[in-house]
Structures are given as C-alpha cells and as structure tokens.
Amino acid sequence: MDKIIIHGGRKLRGKLNISGSKNAALPILIATLLTNEDCEVKNVPSLADIDTTIALLKHINKNVERHGSKIRISSNAHLKHTAPYELVKKMRASVLVMGPILARLGEVSVSLPGGCAIGARPIDIHLDGFEKLGANISLRGGYIQVKAEKLKGARIVFKYPSVGATENLLLASVLARGKTIIDNAAREPEIVDLARVLIKMGAKIRGAGSKKIVVEGVKKLNGFAHEIIPDRIETATYLIAGAITKGNVVLKKAEGNLLKAVIRKLRESGMKIIVNNNTINAVYTKTLKPVNIKTGVYPRFPTDVQAQWMALMSVTKGKSIIEETVFESRFSHVGELQRLGANIELKGNRALIKGVERLSGAPIMISDLRAGAALVLAALVAGGKKTTISRVYHLDRGYEHLEVKLRELGAKIRRIK
Ligand code: EPZ
C-alpha cells in the first residue's frame, strides 16, 4: 500500500485548480439509470469513489466511457436490479441506485451498507421514504429487497435532513405517479446540482436547496449533458492548507458561494479571503485567533471540514471548541493528531483544543477520508523529522492528486509505493 511522506515547515504559495464535486458527481452519475438515452457528465474528478460508481453502473448494464474528466454513459441492455455487496461495502453512496432502479423496474435489491469509521450510518430514512411511495421492504441475507408495482407520489417528512435520503427519494419520485413532497429535505449544493440534472432530463422539481421539495412525476426522462459544480470540501481543505502553513494560495475553478460558513470562520480567525467569480485567494497576514465551530447540515459549517478545522486549531495559540452534531463518532483523527503533539481533549461530541507552538512529525495512519486530510494538513506544519502517512487509499476516495496539488503549492511531499 502507498505511503505519503511529508517534511513540514513550508509556506504554501501558488495556484491550483479545484476539481469537480465528488458528492455531486456520485448521485448525478447514478441518475443516468433513469433513462436509456445517452448522457454526458463533465468536470468529474478522478477518484476511487467515481471508479466504484462506474463499476456499479457497468454491473447494472450501462456502457460507460471515460475521457479525462468527461464521462459518457449509454444503455446497452435492460437494467439489472441488484447492487452487490463487494461494491456497496466499498462505497456507502451505492445505496443511491435504489431510487432509480425502483422507479424503473419496480424492484431493487441492495446489500446493506456496512458502517464505516464515522459511525453506523443506517438508511432507515431512505427506506421509510420508499415505503411512503408504496414500496415493500424486506431484508434477506444481508440484502435489502425493495418492491413496488408502481411508485405513487406521497408527502414524506424526514425525521432528519439526510443528504443521501433526499437524493434517493428525488431519484425515485421523478418517475412516480403524481406529486411527492419531501419535507425537512437536506439543502446541500450537491442536491441542487442533482435537481438541475433531473430537470434537464425532463423532471418537474421545485424547491431543491430548500427544506421543502415538490416533485410532479413524469412518464419518461431523457438524456442530458452537465458540468459538475466545484468540490466545496476540497476547496475548504486547500483554504485551510493556506491558513495552517501561513501561506498565500489561489484556488481556481472554485465557487465561494458553496462554502460561506467556512469562509466566515476563516475570516473570523484572521485569514484574508478574497472571493472572485471563480477564484478564491486565501492570504495569511497576521497570527490567527482560535475560533469555535459547531458542525451542522447545510448551510452550517460542514461536518466534512471538521477534522481539517481541528488540525488548524491544534496549532493556533489559545483554546477552541469543536462540536460535531452530524455523526455520532467523527473524531478518529484526534488520536493521530495527538501523536503529532496536539493537545485535544474529547468530551462526548465536543473536542476541546489548546493550540500548541508546534507539532512534530511521526508515523500516522488514516482511518477515513476527511480525517486523512486533517492529518496531511497537520503534517505540513509538523517540525522535526518527517511524517509518514499510511493507508493513503482513504485519501484517493475524495482528493484528486492530493500530493501533486500540494507539491504545486510548494509542499515537500512525496508518495511512495
Ligand atoms: C453525505 O453522506 C456525504 N456523502 C458525506 O460526505 C457527508 O458527511 C454527509 O452527507 C453529511 O453532510 C455523499 O454525499 C456521498 P446523511 P450521507 O444521510 O448521505 C444519519 C465525504 O467525506 N442517517 O446526511 O450518508 C447518519 O447516520 C462523506 O465525502 C440516519 O440516521 O449523510 C448520519 O449521522 C462522508 N438514517 C446523519 O444522518 C438515514 O437513513 C447524516 O447522514 C440516513 C442518515
């Protein structure tokens, strides 16, 4: 397995291009299951999760051709209605195939997604929604079987604004008979991008991006061409990289409007952030102040940036508190940050951080995608000997060419087989 070696202490300076959003690309690629016509998706990042999604689409009988960041999808035979364990266990978002396959074939069976490092991650909200649309759910041999003669529109009230459940129910209701209302829907930009694609395909959707989404079912959906929005989590990660190394980074093909909560907190901490139409410049001009964050559903501070913020606060003089409200145990990065010398105390879903003068390099291990990003950020400023990071495959799931992009900004980083 590959490792990444980082020699800390370099200020990051320079420009880089932000890639397309992983969490928009996944549901949009899966939305191609709703039509037999040709679809073209542009600005798709090259990530392990995208490869898994492509494998899944091929398994379900789609032709998929990839040309750089452009993916062309067409149909070659009737759809299959199963998503196998070996693919679902690699990527929880595979459960998003339930909506489109149920809508088109009336039955779907998907392996129960395993939990992962950030919690149990059930899909009860997804399944309740399918039942409201008239489906029957059964569990057999670790597979969830969902069956429905014909999906019928209904009013669905989510107990929690789940991103995946909102996407899954959008993907199912666009071909259901009649009107569906999703109340307490998630508002993430990736849901808005998915709705843009579904509307291009001929779906009738109002209110995507708000708490209440209304869908009028249609009979058939057509092909589409679409360019994925920039990845707001990757953007946040590189802004924080600029902050933690006291540098000056310019992120191109980025969209500041997608991460206002993060930009607000960086400014509060003392970073100078200049947002133009598709670039964001982060400039370190003075000693940063500790700033508390509490994660929440969009548009609040994203849980996917919590670990990266903790890395920054670990070396910011003073006390700060991080409260994680979205996942029940998303602090796997704390132990590894402590190995680098961070002073962090965990109390339930809160982390109390006391900024230290400097972290020191050590061998560390990654457990989940965003925790990995936090450890890379910490390693960029760890003094003393180098930091060797193992299990970097977690990073490949969500960060396109991470070590290349950081090297372009002047980091002393290399990847070894
Ligand atoms: C999406 O996951 C993202 N993944 C996650 O990003 C992100 O952390 C998360 O939304 C929250 O913003 C993709 O978009 C592919 P949820 P998802 O359903 O849809 C509970 C990354 O690093 N819940 O909003 O799985 C769940 O346990 C990944 O890119 C239920 O209880 O998130 C969790 O505590 C990590 N029942 C909370 O809701 C359900 O049926 C948020 O989950 C569904 C969710």
Side-chain angles (χ1 to χ4, degrees):
M1 287 197 270
D2 291 8
K3 287 187 189 317
I4 284 182
I5 300 193
I6 297 176
H7 291 262
R10 299 281 184 86
K11 290 184 190 318
L12 297 191
R13 293 180 189 298
K15 300 178 187 315
L16 67 77
N17 284 332
I18 291 297
S19 304
S21 162
K22 162 175 92 79
N23 291 350
L26 299 180
I28 286 170
L29 289 169
I30 289 170
T32 62
L33 294 172
L34 288 166
T35 180
N36 283 335
E37 294 182 9
D38 295 356
C39 305
E40 183 179 86
V41 190
K42 292 181 266 189
N43 199 29
V44 180
S46 61
L47 299 170
D49 276 7
I50 300 293
D51 298 342
T52 305
T53 305
I54 290 174
L56 193 55
L57 291 175
K58 286 181 172 172
H59 173 87
I60 302 175
N61 274 340
K62 281 285 192 181
N63 278 327
V64 184
E65 290 154 39
R66 175 165 212 161
H67 311 281
S69 67
K70 190 188 293 183
I71 294 187
R72 282 208 185 87
I73 295 167
S74 55
S75 297
N76 66 355
H78 58 282
L79 291 182
K80 273 200 208 147
H81 62 267
T82 58
Y85 175 65
E86 59 277 2
L87 288 173
V88 179
K89 95 169 155 8
K90 272 166 78 172
M91 184 185 72
R92 169 190 160 74
S94 310
V95 297
L96 294 176
V97 303
M98 295 172 88
I101 298 177
L102 187 60
R104 294 209 50 212
L105 301 186
E107 68 166 303
V108 62
S109 77
V110 171
S111 146
L112 259 175
C116 67
I118 57 180
R121 304 188 74 184
I123 57 167
D124 54 323
I125 302 172
H126 302 234
L127 300 177
D128 290 350
F130 291 138
E131 282 181 323
K132 289 278 187 329
L133 297 182
N136 295 312
I137 315 268
S138 60
L139 198 51
R140 210 185 308 269
Y143 275 73
I144 305 163
Q145 322 262 351
V146 188
K147 285 202 172 92
E149 276 311 300
K150 174 73 182 141
L151 293 176
K152 202 168 158 314
R155 179 161 180 268
I156 301 165
V157 183
F158 281 170
K159 70 176 182 183
Y160 177 88
S162 153
V163 174
T166 304
E167 292 165 347
N168 229 340
L169 270 300
L170 265 179
L171 289 163
S173 60
V174 287
L175 288 176
R177 198 176 42 239
K179 179 192 280 195
T180 297
I181 296 174
I182 304 175
D183 260 330
N184 197 24
R187 304 172 53 197
E188 272 66 6
E190 292 74 32
I191 289 164
V192 175
D193 212 29
L194 171 62
R196 271 191 211 107
V197 166
L198 293 170
I199 290 166
K200 281 184 182 178
M201 294 173 79
K204 291 189 171 56
I205 301 171
R206 276 181 292 116
S210 77
K211 284 178 181 280
K212 179 172 179 173
I213 304 177
V214 181
V215 180
E216 291 290 347
V218 293
K219 288 241 178 317
K220 183 178 174 301
L221 292 170
N222 311 312
F224 66 88
H226 185 75
E227 177 159 342
I228 301 284
I229 53 172
D231 192 308
R232 63 192 167 98
I233 307 302
E234 185 196 26
T235 306
T237 305
Y238 285 111
L239 290 176
I240 295 174
I244 202 168
T245 60
K246 301 185 171 59
N248 178 342
V249 297
V250 177
L251 308 184
K252 297 188 292 180
K253 297 179 74 181
E255 197 182 316
N257 291 337
L258 301 175
L259 59 153
K260 286 182 179 163
V262 174
I263 289 174
R264 195 167 38 245
K265 288 291 180 179
L266 280 167
R267 283 175 171 155
E268 205 180 306
S269 178
M271 280 298 286
K272 189 174 167 200
I273 309 281
I274 305 141
V275 180
N276 289 321
N277 52 1
N278 65 355
T279 61
I280 306 174
N281 181 198
V283 192
Y284 179 90
T285 58
K286 59 187 174 185
T287 306
L288 299 185
K289 293 197 311 276
V291 169
N292 299 342
I293 62 160
K294 177 178 176 181
T295 67
V297 295
Y298 195 85
R300 293 209 192 94
F301 194 96
T303 173
D304 292 350
V305 183
Q306 178 256 106
Q308 299 90 313
W309 190 262
M310 191 181 290
L312 179 61
M313 290 298 109
S314 298
V315 291
T316 300
K317 199 163 175 316
K319 289 182 186 173
S320 57
I321 297 171
I322 290 182
E323 191 177 346
E324 170 59 58
T325 71
V326 175
F327 288 100
E328 71 265 22
S329 66
R330 195 170 195 174
F331 286 129
S332 68
H333 43 288
V334 171
E336 296 303 302
L337 286 171
Q338 286 167 332
R339 279 176 52 72
L340 297 178
N343 181 339
I344 304 166
E345 191 190 342
L346 277 185
K347 281 198 174 122
N349 72 338
R350 281 164 173 248
L352 314 175
I353 300 118
K354 277 201 198 92
V356 295
E357 264 305 294
R358 55 187 303 107
L359 299 172
S360 52
I364 44 181
M365 196 183 294
I366 291 177
S367 58
D368 87 81
L369 167 56
R370 305 304 174 183
L375 295 173
V376 169
L377 295 177
L380 289 174
V381 292
K385 56 186 182 307
K386 66 192 178 195
T387 300
T388 304
I389 300 175
S390 54
R391 301 195 181 177
V392 294
Y393 56 85
H394 287 291
L395 290 170
D396 296 338
R397 292 192 50 183
Y399 289 95
E400 186 179 49
H401 312 321
L402 178 83
E403 67 278 358
V404 174
K405 292 190 177 185
L406 284 173
R407 203 169 22 246
E408 276 168 18
L409 293 177
K412 194 162 184 231
I413 180 171
R414 63 195 166 88
R415 183 170 181 144
I416 53 173
K417 289 283 168 222

